[in-house]
Amino acid sequence: INGNDVPDQKEPFSIVKRTGQMVQNHRIALNCSDGVRYASINAAPIARDGIEVASVVYSVTDVTAVVKAEQARENALQEAHRANVAKSNFLAKMSHEIRTPLNGILGISDILEEMIVDPAQIRMLDILRDSGGLLMGIINDLLDMSKIEADALELESTAFSLTELARRTEEVHT
């Protein structure tokens, strides 16, 4: 269906006459005054006395809209794939850029823990550390989404205390 001439041996009528087999949905491109049009050709043998091909029934259907829709779908799929790759690259770069300062914040909070004795300040420091840990978890989850899309995610089992998780979540939101 590339617009080139069809050699006789590949033309549906000749195929049916030569092989006695039906040809279905043989697509060709036609250069017309209004642009390229696409046709689907179906050809079927009519046998005489069940022995030889006496005639060929031939039908031609304009499938230009179908071909253009298929081409548009293929282009859209390629564009979606390019966009998905760009998104994954963006997420990977942004997560790295966010992790660097976040690791600094979490590191300083660990140092401050050894220096602070006031219970109210220790509580605020715990909230700061928990919030930073939650933010790090969100960043890791974003990266996991990219890994899922690349079929490269490895599951891990981690023990946790539901009570402790609920307590930490409540502290962040109060």
Side-chain angles (χ1 to χ4, degrees):
I1 77 170
N2 58 11
N4 295 328
D5 289 341
V6 178
D8 283 344
Q9 69 271 19
K10 291 189 176 181
E11 198 277 325
F13 181 85
S14 299
I15 294 170
V16 172
K17 287 293 276 182
R18 186 175 65 252
T19 66
Q21 300 295 312
M22 182 183 306
V23 173
Q24 293 181 309
N25 196 29
H26 179 87
R27 288 190 180 174
I28 61 170
L30 304 168
N31 291 312
C32 300
S33 60
D34 64 340
V36 176
R37 311 266 321 155
Y38 298 91
S40 173
I41 300 172
N42 294 288
I46 297 177
R48 178 179 296 144
D49 300 325
I51 299 174
E52 65 180 69
V53 176
S55 301
V56 176
V57 175
Y58 207 74
S59 73
V60 179
T61 306
D62 183 348
V63 292
T64 303
V66 172
V67 170
K68 289 187 177 186
E70 289 170 352
Q71 291 169 343
R73 180 180 74 55
E74 185 61 33
N75 290 340
L77 285 172
Q78 290 174 1
E79 183 60 32
H81 177 71
R82 283 191 294 273
N84 193 39
V85 167
K87 176 203 53 122
S88 294
N89 290 338
F90 173 78
L91 284 175
K93 285 184 180 187
M94 286 309 299
S95 68
H96 174 73
E97 294 301 321
I98 294 170
R99 279 180 188 202
T100 302
L102 184 56
N103 281 327
I105 291 168
L106 293 173
I108 293 295
S109 68
D110 288 341
I111 293 169
L112 285 174
E113 181 180 34
E114 297 172 9
M115 301 169 65
I116 295 175
V117 292
D118 181 328
Q121 291 177 339
I122 290 173
R123 183 178 179 280
M124 286 188 287
L125 188 59
D126 287 341
I127 292 171
L128 176 68
R129 191 176 312 111
D130 284 348
S131 295
L134 289 172
L135 183 55
M136 188 66 80
I138 291 169
I139 294 167
N140 289 335
D141 289 346
L142 287 173
L143 285 179
D144 287 346
M145 290 303 296
S146 295
K147 288 179 183 178
I148 288 170
E149 290 171 352
D151 202 24
L153 181 69
E154 294 181 20
L155 297 178
E156 64 180 55
S157 270
T158 305
F160 69 97
S161 165
L162 185 57
T163 305
E164 179 62 19
L165 180 62
R167 182 196 62 76
R168 288 177 34 208
T169 302
E170 183 180 28
E171 282 182 353
V172 169
H173 296 296
T174 56

